Amino acid sequence: MAKTAIITGGSRGIGKALSEKLGELGYNVVINYRSDSSKAKAEDVAKELEEKYGVQTLVVKADVSEYEGCKTLVDAAVEKFGDKIDALVNNAGITNNSNWIDIKPEAYERVIKTNLMSALHMTHLVLPYMVNHSSKDNQCNIVNTSSVGGMIGVINQADYCASKSGLIGLTRALALEFAGRGVRVNAIAPGMIMTDMLRGVNQDELNALAATIPQGYIGDVSDIAGALGYILTAPYLDGQTISPNGCFVEQ
Ligand code: NAP
């Protein structure tokens, strides 16, 4: 029977590569986007998955920083594919890159709501549609896109680091809570990966930071898609954070 996956922020950057990996693995994919500028990109990804992998797709505009947006997304997925959801990838994320004196409360609240609250809402809404059919032999998966910023401190990223370490805590706790019910919960903590997020920061600071990566280069979205593919096909991996980061952070 076909499996269904939901991905937040699945139209571009890392999310696009993760959407493609879900399609490659045979999931019907619900691709979420928020910005009007990403509508066509989400539809292009959906078309590509249908043509390349023969899966079904659904594109849903929703702001997952708000509970109502998350509910819109999950309700749309259930209406199209039924009350059985097999995978959830919490990927949507933003960053401010601001010092902690000048930053405005509404700016750091936006980061926490987008990066962390969205995952709380999405897991809360999706888990009933997982535990209604999951088992040891029919596992469901939740994968949270954290960051090396969830494992170490990064200057001018206090809100981002708080949100991303929060995701690692959420991953560990939910994994324990649902381990006996066939739902695995893992996280990916990317190092520096070239996407719009990195293109948007100060390039001198970025290059200086990139020069400190032991492997000597900034990673590619395919590195993160590879980690997702491993997680989804590794039945005994649970509660873990995998960090493709060029040895930027050792664990
Ligand atoms: P990106 O290119 O800037 O993409 C961000 C994605 O998040 C977009 O798809 C965007 O959707 C979505 N998004 C943001 N706010 C949203 C909201 N309120 N509701 C729904 N979707 C929302 O960044 P990226 O590098 O691919 O980042 C993807 C994830 O990887 C993020 O969680 C990020 O923190 C994490 N990460 C990235 C790096 C890196 O070096 N690039 C490193 C570590 C972790 P729209 O386009 O529709 O706005």
Side-chain angles (χ1 to χ4, degrees):
M1 193 175 176
K3 294 189 172 225
T4 301
I6 301 176
I7 176 165
T8 66
S11 74
R12 63 189 173 96
I14 289 172
K16 179 183 177 192
L18 300 183
S19 295
E20 287 167 346
K21 179 56 70 176
L22 290 167
E24 184 188 328
L25 291 172
Y27 288 87
N28 293 328
V29 188
V30 181
I31 302 167
N32 158 250
Y33 72 99
R34 171 203 54 173
S35 308
D36 289 337
S37 57
S38 290
K39 181 173 191 280
K41 291 175 193 155
E43 288 168 353
D44 284 350
V45 175
K47 193 160 166 255
E48 180 200 330
L49 298 194
E50 289 179 7
E51 288 174 359
K52 204 163 166 187
Y53 302 116
V55 298
Q56 295 180 58
T57 62
L58 177 68
V59 170
V60 182
K61 177 179 164 86
D63 177 353
V64 296
S65 68
E66 301 289 344
Y67 179 82
E68 281 311 316
C70 293
K71 188 154 181 349
T72 298
L73 174 57
V74 176
D75 286 352
V78 170
E79 191 181 337
K80 164 108 180 175
F81 293 115
D83 64 354
K84 184 181 104 31
I85 296 171
D86 301 281
L88 166 66
V89 181
N90 288 310
N91 173 73
I94 56 171
T95 185
N96 280 315
N97 198 35
S98 171
N99 74 74
W100 204 247
I101 301 286
D102 295 329
I103 193 167
K104 300 274 187 290
E106 50 273 26
Y108 59 73
E109 275 179 23
R110 202 160 46 242
V111 161
I112 298 297
K113 286 173 72 175
T114 304
N115 298 5
L116 181 57
M117 289 300 290
S118 63
L120 295 174
H121 295 323
M122 287 300 297
T123 50
H124 178 65
L125 286 161
V126 162
L127 272 161
Y129 298 113
M130 291 184 161
V131 295
N132 64 1
H133 71 285
S134 60
S135 66
K136 178 172 172 283
D137 298 320
N138 185 28
Q139 294 180 333
C140 291
N141 280 278
I142 295 171
V143 181
N144 297 313
T145 307
S146 178
S147 167
V148 288
M151 304 157 82
I152 57 166
V154 183
I155 290 172
N156 291 341
Q157 300 281 350
D159 49 355
Y160 185 80
C161 290
S163 70
K164 294 299 185 179
S165 54
L167 280 175
I168 292 174
L170 177 71
T171 299
R172 289 190 179 123
L174 285 183
L176 272 178
E177 187 173 341
F178 290 92
R181 285 180 266 179
V183 181
R184 293 190 292 117
V185 188
N186 292 286
I188 305 174
M192 273 181 270
I193 305 296
M194 190 42 78
T195 66
D196 294 342
M197 184 172 275
L198 285 199
R199 289 181 201 106
V201 305
N202 180 300
Q203 294 300 294
D204 291 338
E205 286 177 15
L206 177 66
N207 290 334
L209 200 56
T212 68
I213 301 171
Q215 282 199 6
Y217 62 92
I218 290 176
D220 184 73
V221 295
S222 58
D223 295 311
I224 310 308
L228 177 66
Y230 170 61
I231 288 172
L232 293 178
T233 55
Y236 207 45
L237 187 81
D238 203 2
Q240 305 304 307
T241 298
I242 294 181
S243 185
N245 64 41
C247 207
F248 188 61
V249 176
E250 303 163 61
Q251 292 183 76

